[in-house]
Amino acid sequence: AQSVTQLGSHVSVSEGALVLLRCNYSSSVPPYLFWYVQYPNQGLQLLLKYTTGATLVKGINGFEAEFKKSETSFHLTKPSAHMSDAAEYFCAVSDRSTGNQFYFGTGTSLTVIP
Amino acid sequence: GAGVSQSPSNKVTEKGKDVELRCDPISGHTALYWYRQSLGQGLEFLIYFQGNSAPDKSGLPSDRFSAERTGGSVSTLTIQRTQQEDSAVYLCASRSDSLTDTQYFGPGTRLTVL
């Protein structure tokens, strides 16, 4: 089975600073890759995904992520943090051959300091 | 169009009682997932339905948990003889036929077992 590792369960950044949330996956065959955001008392919302093509993908709210096969990583970044970015972020993967089951990381809670 | 809806949004029950949680997926979505999210934890996969195929029940934690999906649409997750450790947010998600598509999540049902 796939596994997804998110380094850092809690990340704090100052408003306007760079946001970097890390995600690594375990499979030798690159899976489909997703980042979700969860605001308090809400379900998960897709930020961005990588399936094929350009390895740098742009998502909503100014976030982007880069797929690096050699590093089995899909780190999420945003150049300048905003207070509204404070939320829980989840990295997820699904297998390319079946795509049925999604495997989620344990999440990273982002705090933005004014 | 309408997103994934779940009901109730909150459920408080006494230990030992049975509960039913409902999920209405996005119309036309053939895949439906149930997850459990405990406080401060990631998403724990419970069960997956795909069209008319037999569901993938590999994530159900015990035989007290069951789920059905009627007519390929609405799904009900049933927990029998609830225990305090069942307290969590139960999230439902649906997805189209496309393997590259994301899951769309409902807002969740917060279950509290007293």
Side-chain angles (χ1 to χ4, degrees):
Chain A
Q2 299 261 11
S3 70
V4 179
T5 302
Q6 290 184 240
L7 284 178
S9 57
H10 297 276
V11 170
S12 293
V13 299
S14 298
E15 191 175 16
L18 171 71
V19 176
L20 171 60
L21 305 182
R22 300 179 185 274
C23 174
N24 289 85
Y25 61 90
S26 64
S27 64
S28 57
V29 176
Y32 297 132
L33 297 151
F34 304 82
W35 273 101
Y36 293 88
V37 61
Q38 185 180 34
Y39 297 104
N41 301 313
Q42 295 185 27
L44 278 69
Q45 176 184 0
L46 180 70
L47 274 177
L48 47 80
K49 66 177 181 180
Y50 172 76
T51 56
T52 188
T55 56
L56 180 64
V57 293
K58 296 184 184 300
I60 63 172
N61 302 339
F63 283 93
E64 60 184 36
E66 185 171 13
F67 165 58
K68 291 187 177 181
K69 183 178 178 180
S70 62
E71 298 177 6
T72 62
S73 70
F74 191 56
H75 301 332
L76 181 72
T77 61
K78 181 174 181 177
S80 177
H82 192 273
M83 296 299 294
S84 61
D85 295 326
E88 190 86 15
Y89 292 80
F90 292 93
C91 181
V93 305
S94 68
D95 188 87
R96 282 183 180 269
S97 60
T98 65
N100 292 336
Q101 193 169 130
F102 283 65
Y103 302 87
F104 285 83
T106 53
T108 297
S109 177
L110 177 66
T111 299
V112 182
I113 304 166
Chain B
V4 178
S5 61
Q6 293 186 246
S7 60
S9 55
N10 282 283
K11 177 72 175 179
V12 179
T13 190
E14 293 179 348
K15 178 181 173 181
K17 295 286 182 67
D18 297 351
V19 295
E20 286 189 351
L21 312 180
R22 177 186 169 106
C23 172
D24 283 85
I26 292 173
S27 177
H29 279 190
T30 57
L32 188 147
Y33 303 77
W34 282 99
Y35 296 91
R36 179 167 67 176
Q37 185 177 26
S38 301
L39 187 63
Q41 302 296 311
L43 272 67
E44 176 188 4
F45 166 76
L46 297 177
I47 188 169
Y48 159 71
F49 296 88
Q50 174 63 58
N52 295 321
S53 302
D56 177 352
K57 304 180 182 180
S58 60
L60 294 178
S62 77
D63 59 7
R64 296 187 296 105
F65 288 73
S66 63
E68 62 178 20
R69 188 178 184 191
T70 55
S73 180
V74 172
S75 177
T76 302
L77 177 69
T78 301
I79 308 174
Q80 296 178 312
R81 305 180 302 281
T82 53
Q83 304 294 312
Q84 289 184 331
E85 59 263 30
D86 299 334
S87 296
V89 175
Y90 290 82
L91 292 168
C92 175
S94 71
R95 198 198 67 186
S96 72
D97 271 341
S98 171
L99 294 184
T100 60
D101 197 10
T102 181
Q103 296 179 40
Y104 294 85
F105 284 83
T109 293
R110 182 175 299 277
L111 175 66
T112 302
V113 182
L114 301 177

